[in-house]
Amino acid sequence: TVSVLNCVNLPAPVCRRREERRGREERAIMSGLMRNGRRVVAVLADPNLPTFQQAPLVPGVEFVIGELPALKAVDGLGEVDCLIAWCVGPAWAAQLRELFPLLPQLKWIHSFTAGVDAMAPFIQECLLEGRGKAVPLTNGRGAFSSSLAEWVMTSVFHFNKQIPRCLQNREDKRYDRFTMDVVHGKTIGFVGYGHIATMSARIPKAFGMKVLAMRRYVLYISGSRVKWHKPVCMSGTTP
């Protein structure tokens, strides 16, 4: 799933309209890229990562994967019209800033990760003025939500069931009879309720937990059974 970056610090009606436009914008980007024959997609990433060991097989699309020095050596770099960036730190953002001027035909940038805070220097320097203003930036919103939702419940059970104590008992070969707690009836809270929290909130419900969520503004979510709490203040320490 590819989604246009979440809007922040916008009134709820404006954000709602942005959410409604999201699908249309993504379809327009893909339609424009695939309209004419062969496409070249550059992937700025460590090619040794398991994720990038094998490029997807897409008819009419050629993938070139590597870090900045490798991409610079690619013939036809000027034909690249889509860039996928694995930007997880300042060093990667620096590579991204150096690569951008070498891609005159670039029509779309996609962040492999959902978070784009590491890309902030690149965004401010390259995408807020000049030709960069016409290049859409999307992120991997939702790509890791189900995995992180599982991790949330793993953490809940880790402490609720006293897993460290159980592991230590096994190490000591000791039969330790203790009362193991249950999560049923307990309350879990989410400060911020984006895609990850939305997915994470479904699992505790299945275990009979109560779910509380808080975000800057409330968007209508079909079928939501979450109790909402609006923050008292928008900056500094939230009560």
Side-chain angles (χ1 to χ4, degrees):
T1 301
V2 176
S3 300
V4 177
L5 294 176
N6 260 334
C7 44
V8 293
N9 297 325
L10 294 177
V14 176
C15 187
R16 231 181 344 258
R17 291 194 296 272
R18 182 67 175 273
E19 292 279 343
E20 292 169 357
R21 289 202 310 267
R22 196 166 279 181
R24 295 196 299 270
E25 291 172 344
E26 293 163 6
R27 287 192 295 271
I29 292 171
M30 291 302 299
S31 175
L33 288 177
M34 298 303 296
R35 189 173 296 128
N36 300 313
R38 174 175 169 269
R39 303 262 65 95
V40 181
V41 176
V43 182
L44 179 62
D46 180 357
N48 295 316
L49 291 174
T51 305
F52 304 112
Q53 287 298 303
Q54 183 175 353
L57 300 177
V58 182
V61 178
E62 177 186 350
F63 289 87
V64 288
I65 305 173
E67 298 185 40
L68 182 61
L71 292 181
K72 279 185 173 181
V74 172
D75 292 333
L77 189 62
E79 299 178 15
V80 169
D81 42 25
C82 176
L83 173 64
I84 299 176
W86 176 265
C87 193
V88 291
W92 287 102
Q95 291 192 49
L96 196 55
R97 290 201 304 273
E98 189 174 344
L99 180 62
F100 182 73
L102 305 179
L103 308 176
Q105 301 299 320
L106 192 63
K107 300 181 179 66
W108 180 22
I109 301 174
H110 177 68
S111 168
F112 187 84
T113 60
V116 294
D117 48 311
M119 298 177 68
F122 164 74
I123 295 172
Q124 294 170 358
E125 183 176 327
C126 301
L127 299 187
L128 298 183
E129 57 184 22
R131 73 179 184 93
K133 292 179 67 174
V135 179
L137 170 63
T138 60
N139 70 335
R141 180 178 183 267
F144 308 99
S145 297
S146 60
S147 174
L148 291 172
E150 293 177 8
W151 175 251
V152 168
M153 285 310 299
T154 299
S155 301
V156 169
F157 286 123
H158 177 84
F159 294 104
N160 181 265
K161 301 302 181 185
Q162 301 185 57
I163 299 302
R165 181 174 180 174
C166 295
L167 293 176
Q168 187 61 52
N169 287 339
R170 186 180 68 176
E171 183 72 20
D172 298 339
K173 298 181 180 180
R174 178 169 56 127
Y175 180 55
D176 177 21
R177 300 183 63 179
F178 66 92
T179 301
M180 187 172 284
D181 206 351
V182 298
V183 298
H184 188 279
K186 286 185 167 52
T187 301
I188 185 171
F190 294 91
V191 180
Y193 199 68
H195 199 276
I196 293 173
T198 303
M199 292 291 292
S200 300
R202 298 176 182 177
I203 305 178
K205 283 282 187 181
F207 286 93
M209 299 184 71
K210 300 174 183 176
V211 179
L212 304 182
M214 181 178 70
R215 69 179 305 174
R216 287 190 180 93
Y217 37 73
V218 177
L219 297 179
Y220 174 74
I221 299 179
S222 178
S224 174
R225 297 172 56 191
V226 175
K227 185 175 181 180
W228 296 93
H229 287 262
K230 186 175 181 180
V232 176
C233 59
M234 299 300 292
S235 61
T237 303
T238 303

